[in-house]
Amino acid sequence: MSRDLVVILTALNLEYQAVRRRLAGPQVHRHERGTRFEVGTVQGTSCRVALGLTNKGNHSAAVIAERAIQEFSPVAVLFVGVAGALWDTARLGDVVMATHVYAYHGGTSEDDGLKARPRVWEAEHGISQLGSHLARVNDWADDLPARGRAPQVRFGAIAAGEVVQNSRISAEAQWIRQHYNDALAIEMEAAGVAQAGHLNGAPVAIIRGISDRADGTKTSAKDRDGQPRAAANAAAFAARLAAELVAEQEQIAMSHIDGVPTADGFKKYVSNTAHNSTVGIMAGSVKESSVHVYADAKVMGPADLVAELDGFREQLKRHHVAGALDDDTYQEALADLGSAHGAAQEATPESSKRATMALKRLRGLIAEVPELVAGLAPLVVAAGEL
């Protein structure tokens, strides 16, 4: 993971420019398949941002989001732009940060009508907590005219579909009202980005400025007024969130260098040299903890890595049997491990990259099991060195 970089994606050029204005020194970064990003730094911070344009729709957003995750291994992916408000719950110019995302077009058509088949992705807990904190601090917005109203940040569901919604009485509007009535806003990309983040183990935040009410009053003339303000507010909050996410990663990294206070008031220190590592624990005791030490680690060849992956499969099985991994997580973990296993056997530069990405996805799946994460860490490194 790149501890100082956050990916920010937008669907419209208007939204892209709103984010780009907050970056210092943006430089073009071209993906091997032609997708262009610009990498710059949030002004006044050490946070790097890889900015990309997805165009409209959940499908294209999912493809570009996954491409960005594999290219940059970011701290998080933020999708930033404008949206329509639902049920008058947010005012024009306000910012909505998704607590969860609905893909509202799923369903099955039967003789007695259309039945909903909802899909939903919840926001990562840490990002939600940080977003709530920044909303409480409330110092993220740009300076406003004396008579202007400061935008507010609201938290709730966002509905993502494949059409521009501009009616309160259409069949689409009634469908959303019936099945997704807790949604605060509606747009066309969040579900694709959320799924890409889920499949790749990358935290995702959806941040939308309210530009219209999706109620039949949306017009091109009103968009020319409402969209720039909404996009600017979303970009301001996203830039602050990105900077705070990177600052948290820096604090975590420093804690491993400077020592972390334990519950008993002692500190654990770790120092590393190029060829060996020394670990010292200054404490009366270590309770309910596991210490994993990798000293004089050798470079694994393809056969070594394949053997280690076979052993890791047994670790996954043991934790599944013990209840640490549920059935769905276990099956997805096995699939990612199988992909890495097959790529390691090929032993080519391209397969090395595939193995690394599969193991990074696996790391996201098992993030709640520290023992497995620690055991996987040297395998990720070895895959990258094949």
Side-chain angles (χ1 to χ4, degrees), residues 234-254:
F237 186 73
R240 179 64 185 279
L241 180 62
E244 291 295 328
L245 284 166
V246 167
E248 281 193 347
Q249 291 298 316
E250 291 174 348
Q251 291 171 3
I252 292 170
M254 288 301 297

Side-chain angles (χ1 to χ4, degrees), residues 7-11 31 35 37 52-71 74 77-80 101 103 119 121 160-162 187-202 204 206 208 357 361:
V7 165
I8 297 182
L9 301 175
T10 72
H31 184 272
T35 304
F37 299 90
L53 184 71
T54 68
N55 292 317
K56 295 179 182 179
N58 288 293
H59 303 300
S60 60
V63 171
I64 301 302
E66 181 166 53
R67 186 165 289 179
I69 293 167
Q70 294 188 1
E71 186 76 359
V77 177
L78 312 185
F79 201 87
V80 180
V101 174
R119 295 202 67 186
W121 295 270
E162 300 300 330
E187 44 95 298
M188 299 173 62
E189 292 82 28
V193 178
Q195 185 175 30
H198 170 71
L199 293 177
N200 288 277
V204 168
I206 308 298
R208 293 293 196 173
M357 291 310 305
R361 289 195 299 270

